[in-house]
Amino acid sequence: DMGDLFLKQTVIRIKRCLRGNEVFARIGGDEFVIILTNIESNTQASLVANRIINVMQEAQEIASTVINATASIGTALHPDNGNSSSELFKYADIAMYRAKKKGRNQVCFFEHEMQQIFHYRLKIEMELKTAIEKKQFELYYQPVINPLTDNIQGFEALIRWNIDDNVRMPDKFIEIAEETQQILKIGLWVIEE
């Protein structure tokens, strides 16, 4: 019930930031879409987005509980980013996830390199599932040496992903594995190994 009340108050707050002639809809959960028309530059879209960010930062009281919320806003522009509504929606969604990754209360405009990054990350995510099933990972052990005594104190396990005789270093997949929760299965494999 509190979640529903919060969403209703959020809608009221966001409507105050708009001119009234926009399409404003909830697409599910806590995600909304706003279509601004007659925008001549990304500055105008940025002004609206920043008004929404600012209004969302104000604490809300619902049923005697103070709620602090944040917003992540992704923006795509016509015709710069696409011509169809499906393209613009997809690109705004990609920009929103970039805004979320950058931290709270962020506005991010779609850039075409984001699409390449998105596809790369999706490819790695799918390949990780296969890598876990086929156990394509390898561990290398590096000694940890006490610099005062020159004695080996232990070993550090370093993971590598060998896919089609191409070794991928952890910086190419660990972050994606963490974000997709696949790191749990990888971690169990490392412990067993």
Short mmCIF file of all heavy atoms in Angstrom, two decimals, residues 91 94-95 97-98 101 108-125 172 175-176 179:
data_model
loop_
_atom_site.label_atom_id
_atom_site.label_comp_id
_atom_site.label_asym_id
_atom_site.label_seq_id
_atom_site.Cartn_x
_atom_site.Cartn_y
_atom_site.Cartn_z
N TYR A 91 16.75 3.22 -26.82
CA TYR A 91 17.94 4.01 -26.54
C TYR A 91 17.80 4.81 -25.24
O TYR A 91 18.77 4.96 -24.49
CB TYR A 91 18.26 4.94 -27.71
CG TYR A 91 18.65 4.19 -28.96
CD1 TYR A 91 18.44 4.74 -30.21
CD2 TYR A 91 19.23 2.92 -28.91
CE1 TYR A 91 18.80 4.06 -31.37
CE2 TYR A 91 19.59 2.24 -30.06
CZ TYR A 91 19.38 2.81 -31.28
OH TYR A 91 19.74 2.14 -32.41
N ILE A 94 18.53 2.32 -22.52
CA ILE A 94 19.97 2.08 -22.38
C ILE A 94 20.61 3.25 -21.64
O ILE A 94 21.43 3.04 -20.73
CB ILE A 94 20.62 1.87 -23.76
CG1 ILE A 94 20.16 0.53 -24.37
CG2 ILE A 94 22.15 1.93 -23.67
CD1 ILE A 94 20.54 0.35 -25.82
N ALA A 95 20.22 4.47 -21.98
CA ALA A 95 20.76 5.64 -21.30
C ALA A 95 20.36 5.67 -19.83
O ALA A 95 21.15 6.07 -18.96
CB ALA A 95 20.30 6.92 -22.00
N TYR A 97 19.88 3.04 -17.89
CA TYR A 97 20.73 2.09 -17.17
C TYR A 97 22.14 2.66 -16.98
O TYR A 97 22.78 2.42 -15.95
CB TYR A 97 20.74 0.72 -17.85
CG TYR A 97 19.50 -0.05 -17.49
CD1 TYR A 97 18.45 -0.17 -18.39
CD2 TYR A 97 19.36 -0.62 -16.23
CE1 TYR A 97 17.30 -0.84 -18.05
CE2 TYR A 97 18.21 -1.30 -15.88
CZ TYR A 97 17.18 -1.41 -16.79
OH TYR A 97 16.03 -2.07 -16.44
N ARG A 98 22.61 3.43 -17.93
CA ARG A 98 23.91 4.10 -17.76
C ARG A 98 23.81 5.12 -16.62
O ARG A 98 24.72 5.24 -15.80
CB ARG A 98 24.31 4.77 -19.07
CG ARG A 98 25.50 5.71 -19.01
CD ARG A 98 26.82 5.04 -18.67
NE ARG A 98 27.34 4.17 -19.67
CZ ARG A 98 28.10 4.53 -20.70
NH1 ARG A 98 28.43 5.77 -20.87
NH2 ARG A 98 28.55 3.62 -21.53
N LYS A 101 23.94 3.37 -13.36
CA LYS A 101 25.29 2.90 -13.06
C LYS A 101 26.17 4.04 -12.56
O LYS A 101 27.05 3.83 -11.72
CB LYS A 101 25.89 2.26 -14.30
CG LYS A 101 27.20 1.59 -14.04
CD LYS A 101 27.69 0.82 -15.22
CE LYS A 101 28.99 0.16 -14.85
NZ LYS A 101 29.50 -0.69 -15.86
N CYS A 108 21.23 10.96 -18.16
CA CYS A 108 22.20 10.51 -19.15
C CYS A 108 21.54 10.53 -20.53
O CYS A 108 20.45 9.99 -20.71
CB CYS A 108 22.66 9.09 -18.79
SG CYS A 108 24.03 8.51 -19.76
N PHE A 109 22.20 11.16 -21.48
CA PHE A 109 21.72 11.19 -22.86
C PHE A 109 22.34 10.02 -23.61
O PHE A 109 23.51 9.70 -23.43
CB PHE A 109 22.10 12.51 -23.54
CG PHE A 109 21.23 13.65 -23.12
CD1 PHE A 109 21.48 14.33 -21.95
CD2 PHE A 109 20.15 14.02 -23.90
CE1 PHE A 109 20.67 15.38 -21.55
CE2 PHE A 109 19.33 15.07 -23.51
CZ PHE A 109 19.60 15.75 -22.33
N PHE A 110 21.53 9.41 -24.47
CA PHE A 110 22.01 8.27 -25.24
C PHE A 110 23.12 8.70 -26.19
O PHE A 110 23.05 9.75 -26.84
CB PHE A 110 20.87 7.64 -26.05
CG PHE A 110 21.34 6.51 -26.91
CD1 PHE A 110 21.59 5.26 -26.37
CD2 PHE A 110 21.58 6.69 -28.27
CE1 PHE A 110 22.05 4.22 -27.15
CE2 PHE A 110 22.03 5.65 -29.06
CZ PHE A 110 22.27 4.42 -28.50
N GLU A 111 24.17 7.89 -26.25
CA GLU A 111 25.25 8.05 -27.22
C GLU A 111 25.40 6.71 -27.93
O GLU A 111 25.25 5.66 -27.30
CB GLU A 111 26.55 8.42 -26.51
CG GLU A 111 26.47 9.73 -25.75
CD GLU A 111 27.63 9.90 -24.79
OE1 GLU A 111 28.55 9.07 -24.79
OE2 GLU A 111 27.60 10.87 -24.02
N HIS A 112 25.70 6.74 -29.20
CA HIS A 112 25.73 5.49 -29.97
C HIS A 112 26.75 4.48 -29.45
O HIS A 112 26.56 3.28 -29.59
CB HIS A 112 25.91 5.78 -31.47
CG HIS A 112 24.66 6.30 -32.08
ND1 HIS A 112 23.59 5.50 -32.37
CD2 HIS A 112 24.28 7.56 -32.41
CE1 HIS A 112 22.61 6.22 -32.86
NE2 HIS A 112 23.00 7.47 -32.89
N GLU A 113 27.81 4.95 -28.80
CA GLU A 113 28.77 4.00 -28.22
C GLU A 113 28.12 3.18 -27.11
O GLU A 113 28.53 2.05 -26.84
CB GLU A 113 30.01 4.72 -27.69
CG GLU A 113 29.77 5.51 -26.42
CD GLU A 113 31.02 6.14 -25.86
OE1 GLU A 113 31.94 6.46 -26.62
OE2 GLU A 113 31.07 6.30 -24.64
N MET A 114 27.06 3.72 -26.49
CA MET A 114 26.35 2.97 -25.45
C MET A 114 25.73 1.71 -26.04
O MET A 114 25.68 0.68 -25.38
CB MET A 114 25.24 3.82 -24.84
CG MET A 114 25.68 4.92 -23.96
SD MET A 114 24.21 5.80 -23.39
CE MET A 114 24.99 7.16 -22.55
N GLN A 115 25.25 1.80 -27.27
CA GLN A 115 24.64 0.65 -27.93
C GLN A 115 25.68 -0.45 -28.11
O GLN A 115 25.41 -1.62 -27.86
CB GLN A 115 24.04 1.07 -29.28
CG GLN A 115 23.38 -0.04 -30.04
CD GLN A 115 22.08 -0.52 -29.41
OE1 GLN A 115 21.66 -0.06 -28.36
NE2 GLN A 115 21.46 -1.48 -30.03
N GLN A 116 26.89 -0.08 -28.51
CA GLN A 116 27.96 -1.06 -28.67
C GLN A 116 28.32 -1.69 -27.33
O GLN A 116 28.50 -2.91 -27.22
CB GLN A 116 29.19 -0.40 -29.30
CG GLN A 116 28.94 0.07 -30.71
CD GLN A 116 30.05 0.97 -31.23
OE1 GLN A 116 30.81 1.55 -30.45
NE2 GLN A 116 30.13 1.11 -32.54
N ILE A 117 28.42 -0.86 -26.30
CA ILE A 117 28.73 -1.36 -24.96
C ILE A 117 27.63 -2.29 -24.48
O ILE A 117 27.90 -3.36 -23.93
CB ILE A 117 28.94 -0.19 -23.98
CG1 ILE A 117 30.21 0.58 -24.34
CG2 ILE A 117 29.00 -0.67 -22.54
CD1 ILE A 117 30.36 1.92 -23.65
N PHE A 118 26.38 -1.89 -24.72
CA PHE A 118 25.24 -2.70 -24.31
C PHE A 118 25.30 -4.08 -24.97
O PHE A 118 25.14 -5.11 -24.32
CB PHE A 118 23.93 -1.99 -24.67
CG PHE A 118 22.70 -2.79 -24.40
CD1 PHE A 118 22.19 -2.91 -23.11
CD2 PHE A 118 22.04 -3.45 -25.43
CE1 PHE A 118 21.06 -3.65 -22.87
CE2 PHE A 118 20.92 -4.20 -25.19
CZ PHE A 118 20.42 -4.31 -23.91
N HIS A 119 25.54 -4.11 -26.29
CA HIS A 119 25.60 -5.39 -27.00
C HIS A 119 26.79 -6.23 -26.52
O HIS A 119 26.67 -7.45 -26.39
CB HIS A 119 25.68 -5.16 -28.51
CG HIS A 119 24.37 -4.80 -29.11
ND1 HIS A 119 23.25 -5.61 -29.05
CD2 HIS A 119 23.97 -3.68 -29.76
CE1 HIS A 119 22.24 -5.02 -29.65
NE2 HIS A 119 22.64 -3.85 -30.08
N TYR A 120 27.92 -5.58 -26.26
CA TYR A 120 29.08 -6.31 -25.76
C TYR A 120 28.77 -6.95 -24.41
O TYR A 120 29.05 -8.13 -24.19
CB TYR A 120 30.29 -5.37 -25.64
CG TYR A 120 31.48 -6.01 -24.97
CD1 TYR A 120 32.29 -6.90 -25.65
CD2 TYR A 120 31.76 -5.74 -23.62
CE1 TYR A 120 33.37 -7.50 -25.04
CE2 TYR A 120 32.84 -6.34 -22.99
CZ TYR A 120 33.64 -7.22 -23.70
OH TYR A 120 34.70 -7.83 -23.07
N ARG A 121 28.17 -6.16 -23.51
CA ARG A 121 27.84 -6.67 -22.18
C ARG A 121 26.84 -7.82 -22.27
O ARG A 121 26.95 -8.81 -21.54
CB ARG A 121 27.31 -5.56 -21.29
CG ARG A 121 28.38 -4.52 -20.94
CD ARG A 121 27.82 -3.40 -20.11
NE ARG A 121 27.39 -3.86 -18.81
CZ ARG A 121 28.19 -4.02 -17.77
NH1 ARG A 121 29.47 -3.76 -17.88
NH2 ARG A 121 27.72 -4.43 -16.62
N LEU A 122 25.85 -7.69 -23.15
CA LEU A 122 24.86 -8.76 -23.33
C LEU A 122 25.53 -10.02 -23.86
O LEU A 122 25.23 -11.13 -23.40
CB LEU A 122 23.76 -8.28 -24.27
CG LEU A 122 22.56 -9.20 -24.43
CD1 LEU A 122 21.84 -9.39 -23.09
CD2 LEU A 122 21.60 -8.63 -25.46
N LYS A 123 26.44 -9.85 -24.79
CA LYS A 123 27.19 -11.00 -25.35
C LYS A 123 27.98 -11.70 -24.25
O LYS A 123 27.94 -12.93 -24.13
CB LYS A 123 28.13 -10.49 -26.45
CG LYS A 123 29.02 -11.54 -27.07
CD LYS A 123 29.89 -10.90 -28.16
CE LYS A 123 30.83 -11.88 -28.79
NZ LYS A 123 32.06 -12.09 -28.08
N ILE A 124 28.70 -10.93 -23.43
CA ILE A 124 29.48 -11.51 -22.33
C ILE A 124 28.56 -12.22 -21.34
O ILE A 124 28.86 -13.32 -20.87
CB ILE A 124 30.32 -10.43 -21.62
CG1 ILE A 124 31.37 -9.83 -22.56
CG2 ILE A 124 30.99 -10.98 -20.36
CD1 ILE A 124 32.42 -10.79 -23.04
N GLU A 125 27.42 -11.59 -21.02
CA GLU A 125 26.48 -12.20 -20.09
C GLU A 125 26.01 -13.56 -20.58
O GLU A 125 25.97 -14.54 -19.82
CB GLU A 125 25.28 -11.26 -19.90
CG GLU A 125 24.26 -11.78 -18.91
CD GLU A 125 23.08 -10.84 -18.76
OE1 GLU A 125 23.19 -9.63 -19.08
OE2 GLU A 125 22.02 -11.32 -18.32
N LYS A 172 37.46 -8.11 -17.98
CA LYS A 172 36.55 -8.21 -19.11
C LYS A 172 35.23 -8.89 -18.74
O LYS A 172 34.28 -8.84 -19.53
CB LYS A 172 37.18 -8.97 -20.27
CG LYS A 172 38.46 -8.38 -20.78
CD LYS A 172 38.23 -7.03 -21.41
CE LYS A 172 39.54 -6.48 -21.98
NZ LYS A 172 39.47 -5.06 -22.25
N GLU A 175 32.95 -7.81 -13.54
CA GLU A 175 31.91 -6.81 -13.24
C GLU A 175 30.55 -7.25 -13.78
O GLU A 175 29.53 -7.13 -13.10
CB GLU A 175 32.30 -5.45 -13.83
CG GLU A 175 31.31 -4.35 -13.52
CD GLU A 175 31.71 -3.01 -14.12
OE1 GLU A 175 32.90 -2.79 -14.41
OE2 GLU A 175 30.80 -2.20 -14.33
N ILE A 176 30.54 -7.79 -14.99
CA ILE A 176 29.28 -8.26 -15.58
C ILE A 176 28.76 -9.47 -14.81
O ILE A 176 27.57 -9.59 -14.56
CB ILE A 176 29.48 -8.59 -17.07
CG1 ILE A 176 29.88 -7.31 -17.82
CG2 ILE A 176 28.23 -9.21 -17.69
CD1 ILE A 176 30.42 -7.53 -19.22
N GLU A 179 27.14 -8.11 -11.65
CA GLU A 179 25.86 -7.44 -11.90
C GLU A 179 24.75 -8.42 -12.24
O GLU A 179 23.59 -8.16 -11.96
CB GLU A 179 26.02 -6.42 -13.02
CG GLU A 179 26.83 -5.21 -12.61
CD GLU A 179 27.10 -4.26 -13.77
OE1 GLU A 179 26.58 -4.49 -14.88
OE2 GLU A 179 27.86 -3.31 -13.55
#
